[in-house]
Amino acid sequence: MIRTATPDDVPLIHAMVRDLAEYEKALDEARATEEQLREALFGERPAAFGHIAQDDDSGEVVGFALWFLNFSTWRGVHGIYLEDLYVRPEARGGGHGKALLRELARICVERGYERLEWSVLDWNEPSINFYKSLGALPQDEWTVYRLTDGALAGLGAAVE
């Protein structure tokens, strides 16, 4: 079962974000707090949206998708950027990840969004194979760049 996240889900989402960061070998970079996630998802002006995967039999939360809107100047419409997709290891293979992606694809179709995009680490073969099995195509010609911490602060403070 897939449902829209609620404020009561924030502690579980936060825990799974940390689990995902640990899996991606970057736990030290996962500094978001529950309060920050609550504000981003449910504050006065939400910046992100979330969906929860629950086990059909037990009702236990087994995964989540956290996403936000992007915009394509080429297509002239919004799309969804999937920031995080995570299914707990013990629940993998049960269709929860596919169900979460299906819900986001449904939202795209319903709202006229023309893209559903995300990034995956190049060493994460199980996820890459899963995404390819759904028909997703890698965008190999694009390289992601990122400014954070000191580099971001330095550029932001630069005076020309």
Side-chain angles (χ1 to χ4, degrees), residues 27 36 41 46 52-53 56 65 68 87-88 90 96 129 137 155:
L27 184 57
Q36 288 173 312
L41 290 165
I52 298 294
D56 290 334
F68 55 89
V87 175
R88 291 186 165 143
E90 63 274 12
H96 306 292
N129 292 333
L137 300 173
L155 183 61

Side-chain angles (χ1 to χ4, degrees), residues 1-63:
M1 178 175 85
I2 304 302
R3 62 174 176 78
T4 302
T6 69
D8 290 340
D9 293 315
V10 169
L12 288 169
I13 293 170
H14 183 258
M16 289 187 287
V17 165
R18 296 194 52 80
D19 289 346
L20 175 60
E22 185 172 25
Y23 173 76
E24 292 184 349
K25 302 174 182 130
L27 184 57
D28 59 319
E29 296 178 40
R31 297 182 285 208
T33 65
E34 286 184 27
E35 294 75 27
Q36 288 173 312
L37 287 174
R38 187 178 318 282
E39 181 63 25
L41 290 165
F42 305 107
E44 189 174 315
R45 292 200 284 201
F49 308 92
H51 283 81
I52 298 294
Q54 285 184 270
D55 182 79
D56 290 334
D57 297 326
S58 69
E60 177 187 1
V61 172
V62 295

Side-chain angles (χ1 to χ4, degrees), residues 147-159:
L147 283 170
T148 61
D149 303 325
L152 179 62
L155 183 61
V159 177

